[in-house]
Amino acid sequence: MNLTFAKKIRQLRLLKNHTVKEVAYYLEIDASTYHRLETGKSSNWLKYLPKLLEFYKINEEQLFLGLPEDVVVRKATGNNLAEDSYLLNFFQQEIEKRDDLLKGLKKDLEQLRTLNDRQFKELRFLKKNTL
C-alpha cells in the first residue's frame, strides 16, 4: 500500500504543478521527509493523509480510486473519530476486495496445477509405452 500511496501522491503533485517544497510546507514537514513519502521510503503516510486530502481538495476515494469529484460525494467530518472510522472502513473494504481476488486466483492456480500434473502423468505414460 505504501508504494501505491507514494505513486498516487507523486502523480497528483505533478498533475497540479506543485513542487515538493510547496506540499512539504503545507504539511509542515521538511522537503526531504515529504520526498521519502513520495518515494515510498517512509511508512508514516497515514499521518499526513488528512492534510494531503485537504491540500488537494479531494477525498480518499478520489485519491486511491481516481474517481471524479461529481461521482463521489462525502460529508466533511473534520479530523475526528468519525473521519478515522471512515478511513478504517474504507481500507477494510479494499482489503476484503483484494482478499476475495486472491482467493479466486489461488483456486485458479490450484486447478491449473492439477491439470498440469495430470498432463505430465499422461505424457510420462505415453513416453514409457512408446519406448
Side-chain angles (χ1 to χ4, degrees):
M1 184 62 173
N2 194 25
L3 290 176
T4 301
F5 176 77
K7 184 178 177 181
K8 295 274 187 177
I9 62 170
R10 183 177 187 331
Q11 289 174 343
L12 190 57
R13 179 180 60 79
L14 294 173
L15 182 70
K16 302 288 186 175
N17 294 318
H18 289 293
T19 65
V20 168
K21 286 183 180 181
E22 289 172 331
V23 181
Y25 179 80
Y26 187 82
L27 297 176
E28 300 173 355
I29 58 176
D30 292 336
S32 61
T33 302
Y34 179 76
H35 180 70
R36 284 194 302 275
L37 288 173
E38 237 184 45
T39 56
K41 294 178 182 172
S42 173
S43 59
N44 268 346
W45 63 272
L46 192 56
K47 176 181 175 181
Y48 302 104
L49 182 61
K51 280 195 98 167
L52 280 167
L53 297 173
E54 181 181 285
F55 180 74
Y56 290 115
K57 296 175 179 55
I58 60 173
N59 59 35
E60 296 85 7
E61 291 91 349
Q62 292 166 319
L63 178 63
F64 290 102
L65 302 178
L67 299 175
E69 286 182 37
D70 57 342
V71 173
V72 180
V73 178
R74 181 174 70 78
K75 282 193 231 177
T77 58
N79 291 333
N80 57 24
L81 292 177
E83 180 79 12
D84 293 342
S85 175
Y86 179 82
L87 279 173
L88 288 173
N89 288 334
F90 173 77
F91 288 122
Q92 184 63 37
Q93 289 172 357
E94 289 300 307
I95 290 169
E96 288 171 6
K97 287 178 192 175
R98 281 161 180 76
D99 284 348
D100 289 344
L101 179 62
L102 281 173
K103 285 177 188 175
L105 290 172
K106 284 179 182 178
K107 185 178 177 181
D108 292 346
L109 182 60
E110 192 57 41
Q111 289 174 345
L112 287 171
R113 282 183 180 148
T114 302
L115 179 64
N116 201 17
D117 286 346
R118 193 177 320 129
Q119 288 175 337
F120 179 74
K121 287 176 185 176
E122 288 173 4
L123 284 173
R124 201 168 66 189
F125 175 78
L126 288 173
K127 184 178 179 183
K128 183 178 176 181
N129 290 332
T130 56
L131 293 176

